[in-house]
Amino acid sequence: MMAACELCAKPGGELIWQDEFCRVVRVDDVDYPGFCRVILNRHTREMSDLQAGERERLMAVVFVVEQAVREVLQPEKINLASLGNKTPHLHWHVIPRFKADRHFPNPIWGQSRRETAPNKLDNPTAARLKTRIQQLLG
């Protein structure tokens, strides 16, 4: 664990699922309800630092989370991103996108196209998303 690394020190969101290799968290973002992250548990900077089997394992979790988000929230599109410029700890963003969100069709880190009312994920939907991810990941 790296002392200065936010994702080594903290979960990175509401913990939904984890094993010894990685974890899935839900980010509490009123503009992007259902936004999840898949975070490698050990401090690693890049996908190419992983062995081939580890890369496949991490991406399998990313794809399961994408599937669950699509099933539960039925977004227009899913954005998958691994940036890490500010937090160089390997993690993937799984972001459901809706036509009414602040940035659609632009990336969420780009210029906003509209103001939107806060759209917090309601508790029953958050619970369904958590349950579905846990079911799919076993």
Side-chain angles (χ1 to χ4, degrees), residues 5 24 35-36 51 57 112-114 125:
C5 177
V24 177
F35 181 158
C36 293
Q51 298 295 317
R57 183 175 177 188
S112 178
R113 294 184 50 99
R114 68 193 62 78
T125 305

Side-chain angles (χ1 to χ4, degrees), residues 70-105:
R70 288 182 67 201
E71 288 176 11
V72 174
L73 301 177
Q74 300 179 346
E76 299 295 325
K77 183 74 177 91
I78 294 284
N79 289 171
L80 299 178
S82 178
L83 305 170
N85 297 331
K86 289 164 84 174
T87 307
H89 179 123
L90 190 53
H91 64 286
W92 282 86
H93 301 271
V94 181
I95 310 161
R97 300 299 307 277
F98 299 91
K99 286 184 180 176
D101 76 40
R102 287 185 59 187
H103 294 88
F104 195 88

Side-chain angles (χ1 to χ4, degrees), residues 26-99:
R26 188 172 59 81
V27 178
D28 188 19
D29 187 324
V30 296
D31 291 320
Y32 300 97
F35 181 158
C36 293
R37 286 188 190 117
V38 177
I39 304 168
L40 192 68
N41 285 336
R42 72 176 188 266
H43 189 82
T44 301
R45 294 175 65 95
E46 308 296 348
M47 287 292 289
S48 57
D49 292 334
L50 300 177
Q51 298 295 317
E54 292 176 316
R55 290 191 297 265
E56 291 170 11
R57 183 175 177 188
L58 188 63
M59 292 312 298
V61 174
V62 170
F63 298 146
V64 163
V65 172
E66 176 188 294
Q67 177 184 345
V69 169
R70 288 182 67 201
E71 288 176 11
V72 174
L73 301 177
Q74 300 179 346
E76 299 295 325
K77 183 74 177 91
I78 294 284
N79 289 171
L80 299 178
S82 178
L83 305 170
N85 297 331
K86 289 164 84 174
T87 307
H89 179 123
L90 190 53
H91 64 286
W92 282 86
H93 301 271
V94 181
I95 310 161
R97 300 299 307 277
F98 299 91
K99 286 184 180 176

Side-chain angles (χ1 to χ4, degrees), residues 111-132:
Q111 184 168 339
S112 178
R113 294 184 50 99
R114 68 193 62 78
E115 291 299 316
T116 58
N119 191 13
K120 189 168 178 70
L121 197 61
D122 62 68
N123 289 336
T125 305
R128 281 197 317 274
L129 179 59
K130 181 177 183 175
T131 298
R132 188 61 180 137

